[in-house]
Amino acid sequence: MESEPGPITWPPPELAVAPVQLPPAAPATGADGVRRYDGLSYATNSGYRPRLLDLSVPAGAGPVPVVVWIHGGAWMEGDRRYPPPTVSADLLFGSLLRAGLAVATIDYRHAREAPFPAQLHDVKAAIRYLRHYAGTLGIDGTRIGVWGESAGGHLAALAGLTGAAGPALDGTEGIAEGDTAVAAVVDWYGVADLESLLTEWSDPGNPAVIFLGGTPADRPRLAAAASPVTYAHTPAPPFLLIHGTADTVVPFAHSERLAELLRAAGNAAEVVPVPGAEHIFLNADPAPLVARSVAFLAHHLRRPR
């Protein structure tokens, strides 16, 4: 005779989500000695896909600095595993590893899944996760840089400028508490000012409107909160901004203005114009741009703590 079932609880234990993300499992180690952690779940929320990151740690002793790569896609699409089509994964991620830097590539919620600040909350959750498990992962949680392109460049700039901005921008995704400051930022052709996109992006399906959940004119405070230029007056890590001068998607003026404001506030910011290059560096050779970005990150992340 079967026993009576116990009392029903909700949610069932198998559906309950732990308040802290589970620690990473053992990595796979390649013939090159690189330790690879694939599909680490750094944040989960009921109703959303888990946010995942991949981490590659170069061979060698001691904790190494880590660079968080943030993909582009107009905040609407994209995947942590793929750089823009003009740049190969080996060139981008391989160059970081060959320079002795770990690289974490992250997914984040797209704008149709959740409006801003969900995307920034996810970036910061990934930073907290890496810092929390740095000892297990073999990385140095005190030396984290961010590098992004297009929408990812925008999020990288925001992450660099809002390390002490408080809970509204830090969020409580994943590991809810912890430092989200970073030591260096590389921003490839990212948006700096959401309000300016009202005139620059006239398409009725303007991604900025979906990203904000309304037009910048209708949501001026949120548009300001989502704009890196808003925070340029605050102390910031060193910035490297690389941008095509013929970019018709995100005009070169975005990087120029952000760098000017950062320098006016006493921060270090360098702009590298790419003459004649369109968005995603069409019409340009990306190899020297990757090399310059990696050298910048290696220089700032290898500095004595």
Side-chain angles (χ1 to χ4, degrees), residues 200-201 246-251 277-279:
E200 292 164 355
W201 292 0
D247 194 328
T248 58
V249 178
V250 179
E278 242 291 5
H279 205 60

Side-chain angles (χ1 to χ4, degrees), residues 10 26 30-31 50 60 71 76 120 124 126 143 166 169 171 175 186 190 207 216 223-224 255 270 277 284 304:
W10 189 263
H71 70 78
M76 306 274 282
L120 181 59
K124 287 173 173 280
R143 293 185 289 175
L169 292 178
I175 295 169
V186 175
S255 288
E270 178 184 6

Side-chain angles (χ1 to χ4, degrees), residues 69-286:
W69 167 259
I70 311 171
H71 70 78
W75 309 293
M76 306 274 282
E77 55 190 26
D79 186 300
R80 69 186 186 278
R81 298 167 294 177
Y82 306 118
T86 46
V87 185
S88 72
D90 179 68
L91 176 61
L92 187 67
F93 307 141
S95 293
L96 288 166
L97 291 168
R98 290 187 284 271
L101 303 173
V103 55
T105 64
I106 69 170
D107 283 331
Y108 54 87
R109 282 171 289 179
H110 295 154
R112 283 199 171 97
E113 295 177 279
F116 181 82
Q119 297 72 26
L120 181 59
H121 287 174
D122 290 348
V123 171
K124 287 173 173 280
I127 292 168
R128 287 194 296 267
Y129 182 94
L130 292 167
R131 207 159 252 146
H132 185 85
Y133 289 115
T136 301
L137 297 167
I139 58 175
D140 187 341
T142 68
R143 293 185 289 175
I144 298 177
V146 289
W147 180 2
E149 62 97 15
S150 195
H154 163 260
L155 293 172
L158 278 180
L161 291 167
T162 61
L169 292 178
D170 276 354
T172 57
E173 309 298 319
I175 295 169
E177 296 181 351
D179 182 15
T180 62
V182 299
V185 177
V186 175
D187 174 358
W188 278 6
Y189 45 86
V191 170
D193 185 351
L194 268 292
E195 186 177 0
S196 70
L197 295 183
L198 274 176
T199 55
E200 292 164 355
W201 292 0
S202 56
D203 187 333
N206 189 328
V209 174
I210 299 169
F211 177 63
L212 294 174
T215 69
D218 291 337
R219 297 195 157 192
R221 293 178 64 183
L222 190 62
S227 297
V229 293
T230 299
Y231 312 98
H233 66 282
T234 61
F239 266 67
L240 174 66
L241 302 102
I242 305 184
H243 209 133
T245 60
D247 194 328
T248 58
V249 178
V250 179
F252 176 67
H254 278 257
S255 288
E256 278 190 309
R257 183 178 176 216
L258 179 57
E260 288 170 0
L261 292 171
L262 286 166
R263 289 193 293 260
N267 296 307
E270 178 184 6
V271 179
V272 177
V274 186
E278 242 291 5
H279 205 60
I280 68 170
F281 298 141
L282 285 169
N283 309 320
D285 178 4

